[in-house]
Amino acid sequence: MAGAAAVAVTDLLVKAWAESALEAGLALGPVDLVLSHNPGVAFSLGADAPAALVVALTGLVIVAIAVVAWRAAPTWDCWRLAAVTAILGGGCGNWIDRSLDGVVTDYLHSGWWPTFNLADTAIVTGVVLLALLELRSPRQPAGTDTSG
């Protein structure tokens, strides 16, 4: 899980930089750097919920994913491990950030999509990769045994 820690630490370092450097924003083109704070989760869902509740629930989700990953990792290929590493790293980065002051720091702004951050990008990339891997996996009908 060193990879997940690396994703989380990188995310938190970039958020710290954004907090100190992006007060006025920075126009780059398709994605601008604009400092924003999100009290909710994805797409600001739950923004009106108590911060402690959001922290607790997201923490439980992260722990559940980590437990499943820990138990299943020996049977996964490197792509599934990479996907779950990205999800856990992004989740931990956002969870730690929210735990500190009740909001998540966002800074990537496209103008047509909600403002997001590196952790969000890692989570979405991991989920999309897992979905593609599942679509590609051959399925066996229930009740069939291929052990011969």
Side-chain angles (χ1 to χ4, degrees):
M1 289 298 141
V7 171
V9 168
T10 302
D11 171 66
L12 292 168
L13 289 172
V14 174
K15 286 174 179 170
W17 171 81
E19 289 280 356
S20 65
L22 293 179
E23 289 183 24
L26 180 62
L28 297 176
V31 177
D32 297 328
L33 300 177
V34 177
L35 185 61
S36 176
H37 297 96
N38 181 1
V41 291
F43 307 106
S44 295
L45 294 173
D48 296 331
L53 177 64
V54 176
V55 168
L57 291 178
T58 55
L60 287 173
V61 169
I62 292 167
V63 168
I65 293 169
V67 167
V68 168
W70 183 266
R71 296 186 73 196
T75 65
W76 284 347
D77 60 22
C78 65
W79 293 107
R80 279 184 176 70
L81 289 171
V84 173
T85 294
I87 293 167
L88 284 173
C92 287
N94 276 344
W95 183 81
I96 292 167
D97 187 28
R98 182 183 314 282
S99 296
L100 297 175
D101 59 6
V103 296
V104 169
T105 303
D106 290 325
Y107 48 84
L108 298 169
H109 180 73
S110 66
W112 56 271
W113 192 256
T115 306
F116 57 102
N117 58 46
L118 179 64
D120 299 333
T121 304
I123 294 166
V124 170
T125 301
V127 168
V128 168
L129 180 56
L130 274 181
L132 291 173
L133 290 168
E134 285 304 311
L135 289 173
R136 186 175 157 260
S137 294
R139 295 284 173 218
Q140 294 180 11
T144 60
D145 184 11
T146 59
S147 62

